[in-house]
Amino acid sequence: MAAVVWGRGFSRAWLRRSAGPGCGRHYRAALCTELKRPLAIEEVTPRPVRPHEVRVDVHFCGVNFADILVCRGQYQERPHLPFTPGMEFSGTVLETGTDVSTVKQRLWQIPESIPLREAAALPASYGTAILALERRACTQPGETVLVTAAAGATGLAVIDVATNVLQAKVIAAAGSDEKCKLAMQRGAQSSVNYSQGSLKEAVKKLVGSGGVNVVIDTVGGDVFLEALHSLAWEGRIVVVGFAGGTIASVPANLLLLKNVSAMGVIWGRYKDQNFPLFSGSISSALQYCQQGRIQPYIGAVFKLEEVNDAFLHVMQRKSTGKVLLSLK
């Protein structure tokens, strides 16, 4: 069964050792053995599958900014060393434990029409976009959505879902003309390069003093504050992350004066707090993709042995769309 999964520790690939005494399956793994140091690629002997576990042959693995933070000891989850980072992958099921009657608690079957490469790009980015837009912001058809870091994996997913599923209008905000151009090509109706001036003033020129209905922000800092000031009456701003490195303080008086709502979304927490909703977001992403309503944009694919180059690519803000590791 081809499957897509969300969890921890998936940057590993199976390989068949040469025939002979003691031959069998091993896997290569990208291991974090020391925080803030490059990952090491090692060949590891697998342990037996436990009763409630599933063994999967990984084909593609998503690279997320959160993976880098985990390896730097700067994320809310701090696994014990050594560990294999990663939170999403696509692959095929090899083996199930004796007590496993269904694999749907952490695995979702990929429709045959969706390639494994595209499937690996769906869970975190599109799960976040779907919950941010549909669940938290309650985005309605015809509303205007402002998305920051619009050329990133989550930003492009927000553009895709808002435009092609929810029939909303999108203003893409990014830090370069090249990234703004990509966001427009992917469905945004207009764009703003916030490295060239005030985001608030640029948005005002586009929509007038009325403002935007929804903001999905992954940057934080001054970009968040200018986006907050760009909201319309009863607008909603959803905090997804702080890629800019600064966490802004919310001016509560602005919430009162414009009757706006400020909220956050951590998609992965829904796994523990509301699993049906978490599962539904992945199922919806797969369904939308199967129907041709969304199409993930994959900006770069690295080999497993190039995992440190992939991390650097993301850290230096060179990436657009989803960055993947290919393990085959």
Side-chain angles (χ1 to χ4, degrees), residues 230-260:
S230 301
L231 281 174
W233 171 259
E234 290 193 337
R236 294 86 71 198
I237 186 167
V238 183
V239 176
V240 176
F242 312 99
T246 303
I247 300 175
S249 297
V250 178
N253 63 314
L254 187 61
L255 306 184
L256 176 66
L257 291 174
K258 299 180 76 172
N259 214 41
V260 301

Side-chain angles (χ1 to χ4, degrees), residues 74-101:
Q74 298 172 341
Y75 198 65
Q76 51 262 39
E77 295 180 19
R78 299 191 177 185
H80 296 292
L81 294 169
F83 64 87
T84 300
M87 60 176 63
E88 58 185 345
F89 73 77
S90 63
T92 55
V93 173
L94 293 175
E95 185 180 358
T96 59
T98 56
D99 293 345
V100 174
S101 58

Side-chain angles (χ1 to χ4, degrees), residues 6 64 88 117-135 152-165 186 240 265 267 277-278 280-289 293-298 321-322:
W6 186 91
N64 296 281
E88 58 185 345
R117 184 175 180 268
E118 278 65 35
L122 292 175
S125 298
Y126 278 84
T128 297
I130 288 168
L131 289 186
L133 288 165
E134 297 184 5
R135 168 80 174 184
T154 300
L156 290 179
V158 168
I159 292 172
D160 206 1
V161 173
T163 301
N164 298 314
V165 177
R186 300 298 295 179
V240 176
V265 62
W267 174 72
L277 197 63
F278 173 81
S281 70
I282 299 179
S283 297
S284 292
L286 289 167
Q287 181 181 8
Y288 294 156
C289 193
R293 301 170 73 185
I294 62 172
Q295 179 61 50
Y297 179 83
I298 298 168
K322 195 70 179 183

Side-chain angles (χ1 to χ4, degrees), residues 28-201:
R28 292 172 296 137
L31 295 175
C32 179
T33 58
E34 183 180 354
L35 296 179
K36 300 182 180 179
R37 300 292 298 172
L39 301 185
I41 306 298
E42 297 184 9
E43 188 175 319
V44 183
T45 302
R47 58 171 173 77
V49 173
R50 293 170 181 163
H52 294 284
E53 293 180 337
V54 178
R55 197 187 310 280
V56 178
D57 184 11
V58 179
H59 286 237
F60 292 94
C61 177
V63 177
N64 296 281
F65 190 68
D67 300 325
I68 299 171
L69 294 179
V70 170
C71 293
R72 296 177 61 86
Q74 298 172 341
Y75 198 65
Q76 51 262 39
E77 295 180 19
R78 299 191 177 185
H80 296 292
L81 294 169
F83 64 87
T84 300
M87 60 176 63
E88 58 185 345
F89 73 77
S90 63
T92 55
V93 173
L94 293 175
E95 185 180 358
T96 59
T98 56
D99 293 345
V100 174
S101 58
T102 177
V103 297
K104 292 182 180 180
Q105 280 297 98
R106 296 290 281 272
L107 299 174
W108 287 259
Q109 187 166 358
I110 301 170
E112 291 185 4
S113 60
I114 302 177
L116 291 176
R117 184 175 180 268
E118 278 65 35
L122 292 175
S125 298
Y126 278 84
T128 297
I130 288 168
L131 289 186
L133 288 165
E134 297 184 5
R135 168 80 174 184
R136 303 297 281 146
C138 300
T139 308
Q140 300 301 307
E143 288 193 317
T144 301
V145 176
L146 171 65
V147 55
T148 64
T154 300
L156 290 179
V158 168
I159 292 172
D160 206 1
V161 173
T163 301
N164 298 314
V165 177
L166 301 178
Q167 307 303 311
K169 295 173 289 186
V170 176
I171 299 174
S176 73
D177 289 340
E178 182 181 6
K179 291 181 177 180
C180 286
K181 181 180 179 181
L182 173 62
M184 294 282 288
Q185 291 172 346
R186 300 298 295 179
Q189 280 71 45
S190 53
S191 65
V192 174
N193 181 347
Y194 45 58
S195 70
Q196 295 182 346
S198 167
L199 174 61
K200 175 185 174 183
E201 291 304 317

Side-chain angles (χ1 to χ4, degrees), residues 304-324:
L304 177 62
E305 291 77 13
E306 300 170 327
V307 62
N308 293 304
D309 294 330
F311 274 23
L312 189 62
H313 186 70
V314 174
M315 289 175 62
Q316 293 180 339
R317 301 187 181 183
K318 294 180 179 178
S319 60
T320 54
K322 195 70 179 183
V323 176
L324 296 178

